[in-house]
Amino acid sequence: MDQQLLAKTFVELADNLVADFDLIDFLRLLTDRCVGMLDASAAGVLLADRDGKLRVMAASDERVRLLELFQLQNDEGPCLECFRTGVPVIVPDLGTATARWPRFAVAAQGSGFGAVQALPMRLRDEIVGALNLFRTATGPFDPAATPVAQALADVATISLLQQRTAQRSTVLNEQLQTALNSRVLIEQAKGKLAERQGIDMEQAFTALRGYARAHNRRLADVARTLIDSSEPLTGLGS
C-alpha cells in the first residue's frame, strides 16, 4: 500500500470539511483511491436520499455503476444489506451467495466479479450509505486493507455530516438532492460527449472531470454547459 498516497487521500477527504465541495467529485475520489490503493478491482458508493432510499452516487467504472443500479432495482445485494444492518458485509466468493442474493450474485459474477465487501458509511447511529468494494478474484480480502477502507469511509462520512447543527438533517438532505440532480446532468453529458467523440462512457466522464478541474469549475456546471451548448468548452469537443 502506498503510504504517501494514503496520507494524501485522508487529507483530501478531510479538507472538504472547511469548504463547499463538489459531492460527486468527492465521492468519485473515494472510489478511485480505494481501487488504486486497496485490495479492490472496482468500487461504488450508494447514499440515502431524503426519503431514505439508496441511490448510486459514484462508481469507479461504468460496469460497477450498472451493477449497483441492478442491486437497487432488484432490492438485494451487499450494499443494501450493509446499509440496513449498519455492519460490514464480506463475501469472499460470490458463487456461495446465490441463495442469499439470487439475482445479484449471478449478475455480479456475469460482470466479472468474484468477491465483494460492503462497508457502512456511518457516524454513531447515523448511517448515510455504504461503500462497495469488488474484486475479480475469489478469496479473502486483505485483512490489512479492510480497516483502511472503513477508515476512508468514516472520514468521508464525517465530511458529509460536517454541518452537524439543529438543521443538519435538512442541510444534508438538500445537499444529497442537489447531488442527485447533478448526477442526472452528468450522465446526460457523458452520453452526449461519448457519442460526439466516439468514446466510451468512462472516457467521457474522465474528460468532463478533467476539464472541470483544469478550469476550476463544478462538474455539474460543465455538464450543464455541454448539454445546453450555452458556451464553447474549448478542448472538450464543443
Side-chain angles (χ1 to χ4, degrees):
M1 189 180 302
D2 187 329
Q3 297 298 322
Q4 288 187 332
L5 182 58
L6 178 60
K8 179 183 178 182
T9 300
F10 276 115
V11 171
E12 288 176 316
L13 292 176
D15 188 52
N16 291 283
L17 288 167
V18 297
D20 182 29
F21 62 96
D22 187 327
L23 183 57
I24 299 297
D25 193 51
F26 171 77
L27 294 174
R28 181 57 186 259
L29 171 69
L30 175 62
T31 61
D32 286 352
R33 292 296 170 80
C34 283
V35 173
M37 297 186 300
L38 307 179
D39 184 27
S41 305
V45 173
L46 277 68
L47 294 182
D49 64 13
R50 66 180 62 182
D51 298 317
K53 295 181 179 179
L54 285 178
R55 306 289 184 182
V56 180
M57 298 304 299
S60 60
D61 59 49
E62 189 69 10
R63 178 179 50 161
V64 174
R65 189 183 74 85
L66 294 176
L67 183 59
E68 298 285 37
L69 287 172
F70 181 89
Q71 180 176 189
L72 296 179
Q73 290 166 355
N74 288 275
D75 195 34
E76 65 171 44
C79 213
L80 283 163
E81 188 172 314
C82 176
F83 175 70
R84 290 166 178 167
T85 63
V87 297
V89 174
I90 302 176
V91 180
D93 185 353
L94 279 163
T96 66
T98 52
R100 189 175 186 177
W101 310 309
R103 294 177 292 274
F104 175 82
V106 172
Q109 291 178 92
S111 295
F113 297 117
V116 64
Q117 64 175 338
L119 304 171
M121 296 183 67
R122 66 180 300 168
L123 180 64
R124 301 183 182 88
D125 296 329
E126 183 81 21
I127 304 174
V128 301
L131 169 65
N132 255 2
L133 302 180
F134 296 89
R135 202 181 59 229
T136 55
T138 59
F141 282 83
D142 182 350
T146 296
V148 174
Q150 184 63 70
L152 291 172
D154 291 344
V155 172
T157 302
I158 292 170
S159 290
L160 291 174
L161 297 175
Q162 59 176 311
Q163 297 185 36
R164 196 175 180 90
T165 63
Q167 290 79 35
R168 178 186 53 76
S169 295
T170 300
V171 170
L172 178 59
N173 287 337
E174 290 176 352
Q175 184 184 59
L176 294 183
Q177 190 60 47
T178 297
L180 286 169
N181 295 337
S182 297
R183 187 73 199 179
V184 173
L185 282 174
I186 293 166
E187 291 301 319
Q188 292 174 345
K190 281 167 54 180
K192 183 173 182 177
L193 188 60
E195 181 178 7
R196 177 179 296 173
Q197 296 192 354
I199 57 180
D200 62 35
M201 295 288 277
E202 187 61 24
Q203 290 172 318
F205 179 85
T206 299
L208 286 168
R209 188 188 193 191
Y211 186 94
R213 289 186 167 186
H215 293 80
N216 196 28
R217 297 178 62 173
R218 293 177 65 84
L219 186 56
D221 292 339
V222 172
R224 183 181 294 105
T225 299
L226 180 67
I227 294 168
D228 297 342
S229 299
S230 56
E231 67 177 87
L233 297 175
T234 305
L236 197 56
S238 64

